[in-house]
Amino acid sequence: MLDITSIVFIGIYLLTLLLASTETTSLSVAALIGAFLTVLFGLIYGALTPEEAIGFIDFRVILLLVGVMVTFEVIERSGLFRVLALYAIRYSKGDPKVLFFSLCFVSAAVSLFLSDVTAILLIAAAAGTIARIMDYDPVPYFVSAAIMINLGGTSTLIGSTSNMIIGMASGLSFLDFLNFLAVCEIILWVLTSITLYLLYKPRLGEKKPPPVYDPWGEIEDRKTVYKAGFIIALFLTLFLLYERWNVGPEIIALACAVIALVVVGVDAGSVFRQIDWETIFFIGSFFIIIGGLEKSGVLKAVSEAVLNVSHGNQFIAALLTLWSSAFLSAFVSNIAVALTYTPIIGMMHGMNSNMNYLWSALVLGTNLGGAATPVSGAVCILAIGALKEENVNLSFAEFSKAGVLTTIVQLAFATIYLILRFGM
Amino acid sequence: MMGLRERILKREKRSMERYKEERETFEKVMGTPKINVSVELPKGYEDRREDFLDLEKEKSFLKDANRALGRVVKKHLKMKEKAEKEKAAESKDKQ
């Protein structure tokens, strides 16, 4: 039986999700309200002190996020990813089929490094320009880019904010992520782009003479692009090796941010202004809300319920985690889903000493559910917003048609992959 | 659902500004190049300030301005071409 504190904390948690998912307030404000109420009622019921509440925030996640954001903001400013997108378009030589696949793969590749928001603004701008020049329908290109950007980075620790949260909570390293999920992600790239191609084939347009241009046309200083390439190489090398030096990924991310600022030499103040404070405040505050639920014993009860339902069966537990986290991520922020699930899975250690299959299921679920509907993630809504700038009004239903279809295909494959990869 | 859609899109106004900037950059590389020329209110028309500013949105004005400026651009490009040819010929004579 739940006590009054637990009921109040559950109420605060649900209120926060409701405020955030209905866009009554922004994500960060919804979470700040929730965190404030958690501390307030924690004090009233003697369940929580403000110091304890601050202690719930995992600052390693925040530092990792800031380090990655600064590093890739610097790299993005060099124009490297823009050049990449321009090469992808030129490579298509006016063939819409080739253009479609090259934009799909560049979208996924770019989002390995850039935040989803930055990636969709870049790719949509490239797709919007070529669609106007070639007189193509921009919808297939914009929707596919959003879905591929959401998918890109599923198998890396820094690929998405939810991955960073799961990685820090589980202790899975950058190499572990690649080891468990890289093959899955590559196959998902192919499967998803083929699904989208089949869906949009009649709308892609006809082959036409392409515009002639130099992809380096807008680059004033090629040296900066080369420096950005060097920073990416250094970043990946350090992330592959950091376990050997007994330091956390957040230290590597911060070190890379400093190196990037020094080597590329951009205005640090303007880079810091571009940091996604909305996400940082959301995560920090949501940690407090989840901490309240954890301390009151609610998450332990959920964890035990999952154990009871699955009867200790790995396959059922993984399936439950994968599909339920994906379903929830389709309607609320996948960051909130990752923050909720990580302590629950962490408490299930008694079930099996090797929990990698559950962490992998959670990574896949939170990532793949992020582009099912327009409210699943910022990347989807920005694709719709960018289409509006191109004078195309895409309805939520039309986006969801592609989003739900690809999410089901992805989850079906992820289920098979988990069974085969972890021998369940 | 429509209310939610508009509410979310309104919140993404800043991102859409960034989108437009990116779009302009790609347009410069792949599309027809453009230059922006600003026009000042002519002297003697100071009392027509509002009407002058409204011209920026008037299709007929934009069409006329584009046509007139097109002629000026062609004239100046031809002048540049002529000057370059003369310069090249001069340097050839010197050699």
Side-chain angles (χ1 to χ4, degrees):
Chain A
M1 195 60 186
L2 294 172
D3 60 11
I4 182 74
T5 323
S6 304
I7 293 166
V8 169
F9 284 162
I10 291 171
I12 293 169
Y13 174 79
L14 294 176
L15 173 76
T16 307
L17 291 185
L18 188 73
L19 289 176
S21 57
T22 56
E23 291 281 327
T24 312
T25 65
S26 66
L27 272 182
S28 57
V29 174
L32 281 164
I33 293 170
F36 170 74
L37 292 175
T38 302
V39 177
L40 181 71
F41 284 101
L43 277 171
I44 291 171
Y45 293 114
L48 207 63
T49 65
E51 290 75 21
E52 271 181 298
I54 298 294
F56 290 144
I57 302 171
D58 187 347
F59 284 98
R60 296 173 310 147
V61 174
I62 310 271
L63 292 176
L64 174 62
L65 195 56
V66 170
V68 171
M69 279 176 184
V70 170
T71 307
F72 288 103
E73 174 63 28
V74 173
I75 290 170
E76 203 266 333
R77 283 170 186 227
S78 72
L80 172 68
F81 296 116
R82 201 175 296 131
V83 171
L84 195 69
L86 286 164
Y87 267 115
I89 291 171
R90 201 172 74 164
Y91 172 74
S92 70
K93 291 175 184 161
D95 185 336
K97 186 178 162 186
V98 182
L99 176 69
F100 179 80
F101 281 107
S102 55
L103 275 180
C104 277
F105 285 103
V106 165
S107 302
V110 161
S111 85
L112 287 171
F113 306 107
L114 293 183
S115 74
D116 284 0
V117 169
T118 312
I120 188 67
L121 295 178
L122 179 89
I123 300 295
T129 311
I130 191 68
R132 191 198 58 75
I133 294 169
M134 307 287 277
D135 201 19
Y136 288 159
D137 177 1
V139 173
Y141 300 97
F142 279 53
V143 174
S144 304
I147 291 169
M148 292 303 288
I149 284 168
N150 177 65
L151 176 62
T154 298
S155 67
T156 71
L157 173 66
I158 51 119
S160 67
T161 309
S162 59
N163 280 14
M164 294 185 209
I165 293 163
I166 299 165
M168 294 308 244
S170 63
L172 292 182
S173 67
F174 191 80
L175 263 177
D176 291 331
F177 263 84
L178 289 177
N179 180 23
F180 296 136
L181 296 162
V183 174
C184 181
E185 180 173 350
I186 292 166
I187 298 172
L188 281 173
W189 281 24
V190 177
L191 267 181
T192 308
S193 51
I194 290 174
T195 308
L196 288 164
Y197 173 70
L198 294 175
L199 181 70
Y200 285 124
K201 197 177 168 186
R203 292 175 68 177
L204 291 182
E206 289 167 3
K207 190 171 178 175
K208 288 175 191 171
V212 179
Y213 62 88
D214 173 15
W216 292 84
E218 267 304 292
I219 301 294
E220 284 171 11
D221 181 12
R222 285 196 183 203
K223 271 186 191 168
T224 312
V225 179
Y226 299 143
K227 282 177 188 173
F230 163 73
I231 300 291
I232 290 184
L234 179 76
F235 184 91
L236 290 175
T237 310
L238 292 177
F239 263 86
L240 287 169
L241 296 173
Y242 73 84
E243 272 182 295
R244 297 181 185 189
W245 306 316
N246 211 20
V247 292
E250 72 279 13
I251 305 298
I252 299 297
L254 287 173
C256 286
V258 175
I259 295 168
L261 285 168
V262 172
V263 172
V264 182
V266 293
D267 171 26
S270 67
V271 171
F272 295 150
R273 277 193 292 278
Q274 287 300 324
I275 288 178
D276 183 5
W277 292 107
E278 168 93 12
T279 301
I280 290 171
F281 275 101
F282 177 72
I283 293 174
S285 309
F286 215 80
F287 264 126
I288 295 175
I289 301 167
I290 294 297
L293 286 172
E294 196 173 348
K295 198 173 178 215
S296 62
V298 174
L299 296 186
K300 194 163 187 287
V302 175
S303 171
E304 283 167 0
V306 175
L307 280 174
N308 283 335
V309 170
S310 62
H311 300 292
N313 184 309
Q314 283 187 10
F315 175 67
I316 297 173
L319 218 63
L320 264 177
T321 306
L322 173 72
W323 285 82
S324 65
S325 61
F327 179 78
L328 289 173
S329 298
F331 300 101
V332 295
S333 154
N334 59 1
I335 298 173
V337 177
L339 285 167
T340 309
Y341 273 62
T342 44
I344 296 172
I345 293 178
M347 284 172 203
M348 288 161 71
H349 265 285
M351 185 173 156
N352 194 328
S353 57
N354 183 359
M355 303 289 285
N356 295 331
Y357 65 97
L358 271 190
W359 292 121
S360 300
L362 181 61
V363 169
L364 288 169
T366 48
N367 280 279
L368 303 183
T373 67
V375 292
S376 304
V379 65
C380 313
I381 204 70
L382 286 176
I384 293 175
L387 274 171
K388 204 177 172 189
E389 294 292 330
E390 302 296 331
N391 298 319
V392 178
N393 265 318
L394 185 75
S395 70
F396 272 21
E398 201 180 339
F399 185 97
S400 302
K401 201 172 124 188
V404 170
L405 175 70
T406 49
T407 304
I408 290 171
V409 169
Q410 290 169 345
L411 287 173
F413 174 73
T415 307
I416 297 166
Y417 177 82
L418 286 172
I419 296 168
L420 296 175
R421 176 65 181 82
F422 295 99
M424 287 185 285
Chain B
M1 207 62 173
M2 202 57 194
L4 178 67
R5 178 196 147 102
E6 294 314 315
R7 212 157 56 220
I8 302 173
L9 287 177
K10 210 173 167 185
R11 192 161 287 156
E12 298 298 347
K13 222 174 170 182
R14 223 184 92 203
S15 296
M16 284 306 109
E17 292 299 321
R18 262 182 88 180
Y19 171 75
K20 282 181 203 165
E21 280 170 28
E22 276 292 349
R23 183 80 162 71
E24 270 173 33
T25 314
F26 279 107
E27 195 73 47
K28 268 186 198 169
V29 181
M30 291 192 280
T32 314
K34 282 176 197 161
I35 50 171
N36 291 321
V37 181
S38 64
V39 183
E40 282 180 14
L41 176 70
K43 276 181 186 165
Y45 287 84
E46 285 80 5
D47 56 333
R48 307 288 303 277
R49 198 184 171 89
E50 292 292 312
D51 287 341
F52 170 71
L53 291 172
D54 284 346
L55 285 177
E56 203 180 8
K57 294 166 204 157
E58 271 178 34
K59 275 188 183 168
S60 59
F61 168 75
L62 292 173
K63 205 175 164 185
D64 284 349
N66 196 34
R67 204 181 299 149
L69 276 173
R71 280 197 295 271
V72 177
V73 168
K74 278 180 198 167
K75 182 183 152 190
H76 280 259
L77 286 176
K78 273 180 190 166
M79 276 161 61
K80 272 194 168 200
E81 200 182 345
K82 200 178 164 190
E84 275 165 19
K85 274 181 187 168
E86 281 172 5
K87 212 178 172 184
E90 260 177 43
S91 63
K92 214 175 179 183
D93 288 346
K94 274 181 191 173
Q95 278 175 1

